[in-house]
Amino acid sequence: MDRTAHFRPFRTLLIANRGEIACRVIRTAKTMGLRTVAVYSEADRDAMHVAMADEAVLLGPARARDSYLNIARVIEAARQSGAEAVHPGYGFLSESAEFAQACFEAGLIFVGPTAGMIRAMGSKSGSKMLMEKAGVPLVPGYHGEAQDDATLAKAADQIGFPVLVKASAGGGGRGMRIVRSADELAAALVSAKREAKAAFGDDRMLIEKYVENPRHIEVQVIGDSHGNLLSLFERECTLQRRHQKVIEEAPSPTLNEAQREAVCAAARKAAAAVSYVGAGTIEFVSNGKDVFFIEMNTRLQVEHPVTELITGIDLVEWQLRVASGEKLPRTQDQITLNGHAVEARVYAENPHKNFMPSVGRIRTWHTPEPSNGLRIDAGYRQGDMVSPNYDAMLAKVIAWAPTRDAAIDRLNRGLEDTDVRGVVTNIPFLSALVTHPDVRANAIDTGFIERELKVLTPPAAAAGDLELCAAVAAILIEEAEVTQTEASSPWRTAGWMPVGRRQRRFVFRHGQDAEQEAHLHYGQGPAKLSIGEREFAFTSSPSADGFDLTLDGLKSRIVADIEGHELYLRTRNGRFDLHWVDPFGGDDEELVGEDKIVAPLPGTVVALLAEIGAKLEKGAPILTLEVMKMEQTLRAPFAGVLKVIKCKVGDIVQEGVELAEIEPEAG
Ligand code: ADP
């Protein structure tokens, strides 16, 4: 390899990515004194990574294909901004050999391996052939060239069911099917190939023995252009949903010392097989005893922070040093393991609605102060838009402590102290997950989340006395603030000041629960609240992110956020979304009749399936909405005629917006 052609010093770095990873890379690049250039799409004009970088270049329209995935535009942006090197982050173009090659040809340094190395490792089949030669343990399977049905069927028989059919070009769990018996194989191949063709433009398949109840273990490696290669211990990422990682930790609590050394040695052997340069991950599945190579990722991973926290190494810094042609600063015996780290991925998604992504504006963004072994890698701030065009990961909460138990406790506390409002998040689900006794006990496998979904997504707890009291206190505080800051406020003129009132009635609704009532009594001394037969004396005093509520002598911390009639509360009992049914202000929710077809979630209209004037049967498809990667078809609620269509393909619509109107069939 001509080293200096690929790796040499640079001063300006373009980050070809967005969200938390772009922010993460910019942070380190800045501490190294580099000039940073962000790229962005039209949807990301005001995004956090754009604000953080020294300069930013607009790539194009929101759609990833027209912006972050547009190789020619990214190269052009580097030229425009005078960038000498490009960090691809993860996702988008990070594993595109074509992009690495294009950077090279444009005289840019690609922060990662060469195009040749990506090609060699990028295909699951190709890399398995390489690993076989290098003597790395593989899952028994077929990864040959021939793709005809007979060859694949014979291979599956020889391997023995259950098998896993996988797209050779696959990623993100797509193009993958478990096949339990020979008669399911043909159908699984057809659907996996279709998915692979659509996602990767390549429908070649490989077949592997399906390891039952497996664990996912992976090793971080990094190589320099002087022939040095290091392993930086392993991570365990067994907590997955649909083959996508949710919680990751380092080191693996499953391996003993000897197993750890063995898997790291196998990973070094794997990376050495392609004389690997840059940061990469060798992934294995394990039956708890042995590990089997499944693939290599030739880039930085989402979960790299847990490795950083146990080794004290800044992986992005090392990536940038390697790209500039430097030698790795340490030798293998200088890499030491300290303590335990756990990471949780915070997504804008609704675990109660099959993890449907949630989009919209972030109204509240509160994360605990990073310190004490707590790290937050975020890509969003208060006021930012979560767009339906990209992955819904908002941030990662990462905790370190001397022991696994303490790290889990710290992570859970970090999650509890995180409030994101405006979009629905998976934070309560993550809390339930990390506090599950089986997770504590490491009695898990990759199917754990799916099996325990009910326990992990409990119905919201009913609001109790503490919550009702907190809700009343929050309203009174808000009213006091409003009346102080706006002398002409309608709140004041409408007689909202509690002065002179003897009693005031509050009604709240919490989810599907029955309405709850509380009566506030004024008089001498602290206010009293009665709920049913019970009566409470309470006082409140402001605190950093809410107020302290003292209820019958017991003081507790309340986080509160009010918008209109919606109250969000966090108390020691959890999180509560209360609706204040205001008897005077009136609930001005517009009632949308059944004949209106309304967007159930914010999304993009991807297909119109019926025309104006069409006679529709009940259940006939009208249009398809896409919310991130999920499609949802809206159907006629009853038989009738399609009267109005209020949207067109490509429209981005908000939740509750009317999209079409249907007139019931006469008679
Ligand atoms: P992708 O590149 O699409 O993420 P991987 O090959 O990395 O696909 O596999 C993703 C996940 O699927 C792994 O983390 C593991 O949970 C599961 N998996 C992969 N191969 C096997 C196998 N042979 N047996 C059991 N589970 C597997």
Side-chain angles (χ1 to χ4, degrees):
M1 177 180 56
D2 174 9
R3 251 197 281 134
T4 50
H6 287 94
F7 308 106
R8 57 181 184 282
F10 53 88
R11 294 216 42 224
T12 302
L13 177 71
L14 180 139
I15 299 93
N17 215 303
R18 65 181 302 284
E20 70 87 19
I21 190 58
C23 299
R24 157 79 191 87
V25 173
I26 292 169
R27 208 171 298 125
T28 288
K30 284 197 159 174
T31 63
M32 292 172 73
L34 297 173
R35 195 173 132 246
T36 54
V37 180
V39 290
Y40 63 99
S41 72
E42 278 161 13
D44 276 343
R45 279 178 194 281
D46 302 316
M48 181 167 167
H49 72 285
V50 176
M52 274 179 78
D54 298 313
E55 279 164 52
V57 184
L58 175 67
L59 291 176
R63 244 190 0 177
R65 215 188 312 161
D66 303 323
S67 49
Y68 298 102
L69 287 174
N70 183 336
I71 292 179
R73 269 303 294 144
V74 175
I75 301 274
E76 178 55 27
R79 273 220 189 90
Q80 256 177 289
S81 59
E84 298 146 277
V86 176
H87 193 303
Y90 55 70
F92 292 129
L93 295 170
S94 61
E95 289 191 285
S96 161
E98 192 190 340
F99 180 56
Q101 185 65 29
C103 286
F104 178 69
E105 282 165 13
L108 296 164
I109 299 156
F110 179 77
V111 181
T114 62
M117 296 170 198
I118 299 178
R119 255 182 227 114
M121 283 302 195
S123 135
K124 290 191 210 284
S125 310
S127 66
K128 287 181 80 174
M129 284 188 225
L130 267 172
M131 293 306 111
E132 207 164 24
K133 272 203 212 118
V136 176
L138 297 185
V139 199
Y142 170 81
H143 40 268
E145 294 286 338
Q147 291 287 313
D148 58 285
D149 290 351
T151 304
L152 294 177
K154 195 163 146 236
D157 266 337
Q158 272 170 2
I159 296 162
F161 292 94
V163 298
L164 194 60
V165 171
K166 263 191 204 180
S168 181
R174 279 175 294 171
M176 206 149 91
R177 300 283 184 280
I178 300 171
V179 183
R180 300 229 166 246
S181 64
D183 54 333
E184 291 173 13
L185 182 69
L189 277 171
V190 169
S191 80
K193 281 187 176 185
R194 192 184 332 113
E195 195 171 292
K197 186 87 193 165
F200 316 110
D202 178 348
D203 65 359
R204 279 172 300 163
M205 290 287 142
L206 59 89
I207 303 183
E208 278 174 7
K209 178 78 192 164
Y210 179 67
V211 180
E212 296 276 6
N213 307 329
R215 289 171 174 274
H216 175 110
I217 290 170
E218 59 184 35
V219 177
Q220 177 72 53
V221 294
I222 187 161
D224 67 20
S225 57
H226 303 266
N228 302 304
L229 183 79
L230 302 173
S231 60
L232 307 181
F233 300 108
E234 80 288 358
R235 298 183 282 258
E236 177 150 353
C237 319
T238 295
L239 288 171
Q240 305 184 345
R241 205 183 72 83
R242 306 220 166 134
H243 306 297
Q244 299 257 46
K245 297 158 189 167
V246 178
I247 303 276
E248 305 100 343
E249 59 186 304
S252 160
T254 311
L255 303 183
N256 61 32
E257 259 321 303
Q259 290 169 317
R260 169 162 306 120
E261 189 33 55
V263 74
C264 289
R268 290 195 297 269
K269 213 192 260 180
V274 288
S275 307
Y276 193 72
V277 179
T281 297
I282 317 285
E283 297 196 327
F284 301 88
V285 280
S286 169
N287 52 16
K289 205 160 84 276
D290 301 308
V291 297
F292 307 101
F293 172 86
I294 50 173
E295 68 161 344
M296 176 168 192
N297 289 322
T298 53
R299 53 172 168 85
L300 195 67
Q301 308 253 123
V302 174
E303 59 272 25
H304 74 276
V306 292
T307 297
E308 297 187 318
L309 293 184
I310 61 158
T311 58
I313 293 167
D314 181 333
L315 272 166
V316 172
E317 181 190 335
W318 281 28
Q319 280 191 301
L320 296 173
R321 294 204 181 285
V322 164
S324 67
E326 287 181 34
K327 282 190 177 151
L328 287 169
R330 288 193 215 169
T331 56
Q332 191 66 57
D333 55 359
Q334 291 171 329
I335 309 288
T336 51
L337 193 167
N338 177 27
H340 200 98
V342 193
E343 173 183 281
R345 299 185 183 193
V346 176
Y347 273 86
E349 63 183 14
N350 189 344
H352 289 279
K353 284 191 189 166
N354 194 25
F355 295 86
M356 175 73 90
S358 168
V359 303
R361 192 170 296 284
I362 295 176
R363 202 153 51 69
T364 305
W365 179 273
H366 171 83
T367 54
E369 281 302 305
S371 70
N372 258 340
L374 195 65
R375 165 172 163 181
I376 316 282
D377 280 16
Y380 290 82
R381 304 153 300 180
Q382 194 145 315
D384 284 349
M385 276 302 286
V386 181
S387 145
N389 292 288
Y390 315 111
D391 185 79
M393 194 172 76
L394 301 176
K396 303 178 307 207
V397 179
I398 314 123
W400 178 93
T403 64
R404 181 173 187 265
D405 268 338
I408 291 177
D409 287 340
R410 211 165 251 178
L411 175 64
N412 186 43
R413 186 66 205 258
L415 289 167
E416 278 178 357
D417 287 345
T418 300
D419 288 310
V420 178
R421 307 286 307 151
V423 290
V424 182
T425 77
N426 65 341
I427 293 173
F429 164 77
L430 292 172
S431 278
L433 189 55
V434 298
T435 51
H436 193 295
D438 290 353
V439 171
R440 282 266 171 189
N442 190 30
I444 52 171
D445 60 72
T446 56
F448 176 80
I449 290 180
E450 217 62 59
R451 286 197 305 275
E452 291 291 304
L453 210 49
K454 271 222 161 71
V455 178
L456 298 171
T457 51
D465 294 340
L466 173 65
E467 286 70 41
L468 295 184
C469 255
V472 171
I475 291 170
L476 297 179
I477 291 170
E478 166 106 341
E479 286 175 0
E481 278 169 10
V482 170
T483 46
Q484 264 165 29
T485 51
E486 290 172 52
S488 62
S489 156
W491 298 81
R492 183 185 283 270
T493 52
W496 276 102
M497 288 295 283
V499 180
R501 279 180 175 230
R502 307 302 305 160
Q503 185 175 329
R504 187 169 159 193
R505 176 171 168 262
F506 292 87
V507 180
F508 298 104
R509 204 162 50 225
H510 181 240
Q512 305 297 318
D513 301 344
E515 288 183 354
Q516 284 168 289
E517 230 180 271
H519 292 264
L520 180 68
H521 309 274
Y522 299 96
Q524 299 292 319
K528 281 207 174 68
L529 196 74
S530 57
I531 302 170
E533 301 289 294
R534 304 176 299 284
E535 193 162 279
F536 304 93
F538 76 97
T539 56
S540 63
S541 55
S543 72
D545 47 7
F547 56 91
D548 287 327
L549 181 74
T550 306
L551 190 61
D552 279 345
L554 177 65
K555 186 164 108 174
S556 67
R557 174 72 41 95
I558 308 290
V559 174
D561 184 9
I562 303 184
E563 190 173 89
H565 290 175
E566 306 311 320
L567 270 90
Y568 161 73
L569 297 174
R570 180 150 59 78
T571 73
R572 64 165 176 270
N573 300 321
R575 296 164 198 265
F576 299 84
D577 288 297
L578 290 180
H579 177 77
W580 175 28
V581 185
D582 180 353
F584 305 109
D587 280 4
D588 51 3
E589 294 166 30
E590 196 192 329
L591 286 179
V592 184
E594 265 220 328
D595 50 347
K596 309 257 197 293
I597 308 297
V598 167
L601 281 168
T604 309
V605 178
V606 292
L608 294 178
L609 305 169
E611 284 173 11
I612 291 180
K615 274 191 75 169
L616 301 175
E617 296 293 318
K618 180 176 176 200
I622 297 176
L623 56 93
T624 304
L625 268 189
E626 188 191 270
V627 182
M628 279 122 180
K629 290 172 205 150
M630 309 252 299
E631 286 195 354
Q632 194 175 350
T633 296
L634 305 185
R635 296 170 183 281
F638 43 74
V641 174
L642 189 58
K643 255 182 68 189
V644 185
I645 300 179
K646 291 196 165 173
C647 57
K648 56 184 190 313
V649 170
D651 282 359
I652 295 177
V653 296
Q654 295 303 316
E655 181 172 348
V657 165
E658 187 188 330
L659 302 175
E661 198 176 323
I662 176 167
E663 192 171 67
E665 216 163 37

